[in-house]
Amino acid sequence: NGRASGDYAAGNNWDIGPGALLWSALALKPSKDNFWTSYLEPYPPQFHPYGSDHNSTDVHAISAIMSCGPVGPSDRAGYTNATLIMRTCRADGRLLQPRRPITAINDQFLLHAFNGTSINVWSTEFGPYDAKQNVEIVGRVVYALNMGANYDLTYDSFSPSLNSNFDYIVRSWYNYTNCMNGTLAIQNSCIQYVKANSNKLYTLMPQQVIYPMHESFELIHVLEGVSMSSLIFLGELDK
């Protein structure tokens, strides 16, 4: 791995999506700098991490785990947020990382260059290991941050493009509280079911910043090749 972010004290340290393209092309894992998991940590004034957006603990944690590089919480002793850290790993400590480092999608560059549209949309893939320790892709992770405009996620948003002849399930991580045992997942908005050949899979929109964070974000999972008769295991819904 190699350092792919700025220093934590410099600000916007979470923004690794565009640069991760280069690291991935070099078969290296882009390492995000360390971060605090709690925002109410005491510190001497001269050691305040100016501009680090250290209140945005979720944003830093997601960028770190999706980088496929090291995940480095650097809290003061006694201030570690165990709940947040355990969302990045299994109970035995194995990191829940995707198949490859998360990277900015092509449309992020195209829309900025030709339309002046400001979006931050990154994606990667995930799935279980097969007998040869290769990942069998079952879905995609999409991470949108500080969106300046709406963006319709389509089959062609991904590289390579998704198969439009399949049905898809889309789940927003923020909706995990809607996923209750014994209830219908579609009706209670735990998931969205997208039929084959739809115009879009999902619309990513500017989100309200949730205090005390400084950034807004949306994290979604896209599962492919499903049907109304499928049995889908979503795993631990708060991770």
Side-chain angles (χ1 to χ4, degrees):
N1 69 81
R3 173 82 166 265
S5 73
D7 191 86
Y8 179 59
N12 291 341
N13 169 259
W14 48 264
D15 192 5
I16 63 169
L21 286 164
L22 174 61
W23 290 93
S24 295
L26 298 173
L28 294 172
K29 295 180 178 181
S31 172
K32 181 209 168 299
D33 197 20
N34 58 5
F35 62 98
W36 291 358
T37 62
S38 300
Y39 70 93
L40 292 177
E41 300 194 28
Y43 48 79
Q46 66 271 28
F47 296 119
H48 181 276
Y50 289 103
S52 70
D53 303 331
H54 63 279
N55 286 22
S56 301
T57 54
D58 285 9
V59 169
H60 286 283
I62 294 171
S63 292
I65 191 63
M66 292 296 168
S67 75
C68 289
V71 176
S74 57
D75 301 282
R76 181 170 178 159
Y79 285 86
T80 300
N81 183 341
T83 300
L84 181 59
I85 290 178
M86 292 309 298
R87 285 176 176 164
T88 69
C89 63
R90 301 188 316 197
D92 62 1
R94 178 161 184 165
L95 294 174
L96 298 173
Q97 295 177 321
R99 170 179 171 266
R100 62 170 179 84
I102 199 165
T103 54
I105 65 172
N106 291 339
D107 278 350
Q108 176 170 327
F109 302 101
L110 294 173
L111 290 173
H112 178 73
F114 296 106
N115 293 356
T117 303
S118 176
I119 64 170
N120 289 297
V121 180
W122 311 344
S123 73
T124 186
E125 306 86 33
F126 67 91
Y129 287 101
D130 62 18
K132 296 182 179 180
Q133 292 301 298
N134 296 315
V135 175
E136 295 184 3
I137 298 174
V138 298
R140 271 75 180 171
V141 177
V142 179
Y143 190 27
L145 304 101
N146 292 349
M147 296 286 284
N150 289 0
Y151 175 73
D152 286 339
L153 194 70
T154 69
Y155 307 105
D156 293 330
S157 297
F158 302 90
S159 183
S161 298
L162 300 185
N163 191 333
S164 61
N165 294 318
F166 290 157
D167 290 357
Y168 289 83
I169 281 177
V170 178
R171 184 179 79 89
S172 175
W173 180 79
Y174 265 135
N175 287 344
Y176 74 86
T177 54
N178 294 332
C179 303
M180 305 293 292
N181 287 335
T183 62
L184 299 175
I186 297 176
Q187 283 81 347
N188 67 10
S189 299
C190 171
I191 61 173
Q192 295 182 28
Y193 191 88
V194 183
K195 294 184 178 180
N197 300 304
S198 295
N199 293 328
K200 62 182 179 180
L201 296 169
Y202 190 82
T203 298
L204 296 162
M205 298 180 290
Q207 300 292 312
Q208 181 178 358
V209 176
I210 299 176
Y211 180 83
M213 294 196 298
H214 295 166
E215 277 77 38
S216 63
F217 75 94
E218 189 168 15
L219 183 70
I220 68 170
H221 296 81
V222 180
L223 302 174
E224 60 189 86
V226 300
S227 69
M228 292 300 289
S229 60
S230 298
L231 185 63
I232 305 296
F233 294 95
L234 295 178
E236 297 179 71
L237 298 176
D238 61 346
K239 294 192 177 183

